[in-house]
Amino acid sequence: MAMFKDFNFKLIVVEQLMYIDETLTPRFSLADLLKEKGLGDDPWEYAQQHGLTYQVVPEARSYFASLEIGEELLAGVEELCMDGGNQVYQECAPVWDGEDDLFDVASLDDLVLLPNLRRVLGSEFLAPELRDVLGARGIVAD
């Protein structure tokens, strides 16, 4: 199984595979996880009550950090979308408005895990040196 170095980059890959392509299953739902653990069923309320506003809920971080993604699925990724409205971000941080650096990608070292990546939408959210890395690899940065 692939090991990601940048948690936030992994989340973008999860967005594509789990919430867009629906090939990475089961689909994670923070509400369902909280309900299973007897912690309520409202992620927004849970985050508010536990001082987790504008933070990744630990249960979601744990789930996504340990989530294994097979090489076959990764090889199928041709496009990624970086957008503050991504579903994976809402599942991680239900009280987040997209106005800070909580989900900023710090490294593109994990590009080696996506041999067929051809395009990154929303690349303007990347630092200039990271956009340069995409260009150097022949990946279209929109």
Side-chain angles (χ1 to χ4, degrees), residues 52-69:
L52 298 168
T53 56
Y54 304 99
Q55 297 178 45
V56 175
V57 173
E59 292 84 357
R61 179 177 295 281
S62 177
Y63 178 86
F64 288 117
S66 65
L67 180 65
E68 295 182 355
I69 306 173

Side-chain angles (χ1 to χ4, degrees), residues 32-65:
D32 291 346
L33 179 67
L34 293 174
K35 190 173 183 177
E36 285 173 23
K37 291 185 169 203
L39 301 172
D41 60 1
D42 183 339
W44 190 88
E45 185 177 294
Y46 179 81
Q48 288 283 356
Q49 291 175 350
H50 292 87
L52 298 168
T53 56
Y54 304 99
Q55 297 178 45
V56 175
V57 173
E59 292 84 357
R61 179 177 295 281
S62 177
Y63 178 86
F64 288 117

